[in-house]
Amino acid sequence: MYRLENNYGKDVLKTISLLARGIQDFDQQYKEEKLEKLPSLWKKASAKLHLIGLEQGLKQNDLFPLTLDKQMEWLSTPLTAWPYPKFAELFSLEDDFMEPILYDFSVTEFCIAIAQEGQNPILEQDTKEFIKLKTPLDDTGYRHLRKFLIDNPVVRVIDRKVLKQMKNLPNEVQSKLWDLFYEPIPLTYVSDKTVSVCPRCSWTLFKDLNGDYKCDTDKCKKLTRNWEEKVRSIESGSNLLRVKRGIRRYIVDPGIIEMNLYKKLCKIGKDSGQFEVELYPNKDEYDISIKLKNGETWVIDVKDWAVPQQLALHIKPFSSTSEYAKAFLIVPNYRGEKYVEKLKVICDKGYIIMTDKEIIHYITRMIEEE
Ligand SMILES: [Zn+2]
């Protein structure tokens, strides 16, 4: 578990977070053929890590290396195995989630998780415009915009279905939609005039020199059991766009489970006639709200963080004076039982914690007992 009280721990977390951000820059620049030199954050963090090791009196061989080939070895090893003091404690995770910062020279989900340490991911450059729109848009406009992005990570701007969906968006968003949230597909993502699309998040897949597919992180590859689900190919072209990387990461990716849960709850609510469901109520104060026949409102927040300790640190306490009868903190079933048990122990903020699968059971049972 994170212990933030001593400076060593704080310094380490901050520096590793910087390093992870530098590596993300590298990963993106490499995949988009914009890489000229090692990103400065990476260099800065490497020097700092080396220094921290010196301050701790580590042996020469145990210091974070300053050469690239040696660094690659370290970055491909889980942090808990690094010879720095307390790393096992600072970065301990369940076995399933124990992963290095880089896997197969590509950024991991864990890397992104630690890059966010102490930072609000929402401040990421690509999502700034989305946040800015939150205030001027009304509830419905905001919901339609969010849903549009989740439904259309890759889009052909002349597609009739897309144009129809766009009509739901407020006028002021329609005119700027492509500029604010989309970008052309980088040429490195095109081969034989086609673009490969991720079977999980529907963003573009990068094909490396060995012919292996890579989504933005290793998460989609893991959750599709090594692309067992079919990778689609679509024709490239100047009218094909994709959401910016930050939008994929912070809106589309979490949106997949939010939308799935929303759809399932809608169906149960409709079939039973016991409750109504709303997506992103009050401009996303929570992800989903349920209004029961007896007048009670339940709210649901879906959170998918790689590291439960970070989630526990960042979640705001559920207000005890709130008008909501119950608040659920839902994590994806694929995070596993141990993850949920751990979260229940470390996150005592008034939420009922369960998985997306469990809440469906919970609500189905409740209706059957009525
Ligand atoms: Zn994906």
Side-chain angles (χ1 to χ4, degrees), residues 198-205 215-217 219-221 227 248 253:
C198 176
R200 177 176 166 268
C201 74
S202 302
W203 204 56
T204 52
L205 290 176
C215 194
D216 178 34
T217 74
K219 183 176 176 183
C220 294
K221 185 177 173 180
W227 309 124
R248 193 220 72 89
D253 195 289

Side-chain angles (χ1 to χ4, degrees), residues 91 100 165 186 301 325-326 353:
F91 299 101
Q165 276 187 50
D301 236 350
K326 282 180 187 172
I353 298 171

Side-chain angles (χ1 to χ4, degrees), residues 72-237:
M72 281 299 179
E73 279 175 31
W74 278 55
L75 295 171
S76 305
T77 311
L79 285 159
T80 44
W82 290 17
Y84 273 54
K86 283 199 180 169
F87 264 42
E89 181 189 329
L90 284 165
F91 299 101
S92 90
L93 276 179
E94 304 307 333
D95 293 347
D96 289 358
F97 301 104
M98 195 66 85
E99 58 177 359
I101 294 179
L102 279 178
Y103 172 76
D104 207 8
F105 299 100
S106 204
V107 70
T108 60
E109 195 203 352
F110 176 68
C111 173
I112 287 166
I114 51 171
Q116 282 168 18
E117 175 60 37
Q119 306 257 356
N120 187 343
I122 229 77
L123 292 176
E124 288 284 323
Q125 198 61 34
D126 292 351
T127 48
K128 253 188 202 155
E129 295 297 334
F130 183 76
I131 304 303
K132 260 201 241 162
L133 277 171
K134 214 168 174 171
T135 321
L137 291 184
D138 65 9
D139 224 18
T140 320
Y142 174 81
R143 184 178 311 126
H144 280 306
L145 171 60
R146 192 172 184 118
K147 199 168 168 304
F148 184 93
L149 297 171
I150 296 168
D151 287 343
N152 299 289
V154 170
V155 77
R156 201 174 298 282
V157 296
I158 50 164
D159 190 294
R160 227 188 285 153
K161 218 175 96 196
V162 171
L163 293 172
K164 207 176 144 200
Q165 276 187 50
M166 267 180 90
K167 291 209 179 103
N168 290 327
L169 301 175
N171 287 335
E172 69 262 42
V173 176
Q174 282 188 32
S175 55
K176 307 185 279 195
L177 183 70
W178 308 132
D179 275 349
L180 292 183
F181 306 115
Y182 286 81
E183 64 186 17
I185 316 274
L187 285 176
T188 44
Y189 283 74
V190 181
S191 68
D192 294 331
K193 291 185 186 159
T194 60
V195 175
S196 303
V197 174
C198 176
R200 177 176 166 268
C201 74
S202 302
W203 204 56
T204 52
L205 290 176
F206 176 78
K207 209 176 190 177
D208 71 12
L209 293 172
N210 300 322
D212 290 335
Y213 291 117
K214 290 187 162 105
C215 194
D216 178 34
T217 74
D218 59 332
K219 183 176 176 183
C220 294
K221 185 177 173 180
K222 266 200 283 184
L223 290 177
T224 58
R225 292 164 306 279
N226 233 339
W227 309 124
E228 211 177 79
E229 287 166 42
K230 203 171 168 355
V231 171
R232 271 189 313 131
S233 283
I234 55 175
E235 207 184 309
S236 73

Side-chain angles (χ1 to χ4, degrees), residues 4-31:
L4 295 166
E5 62 272 12
N6 69 41
N7 276 337
Y8 169 73
K10 261 190 200 167
D11 275 358
V12 162
L13 284 174
K14 213 173 128 198
T15 312
I16 294 284
S17 164
L18 276 185
L19 181 69
R21 292 179 87 83
I23 288 168
Q24 284 184 44
D25 291 345
F26 161 81
D27 184 64
Q28 175 174 0
Q29 289 165 16
Y30 169 72
K31 284 177 183 164

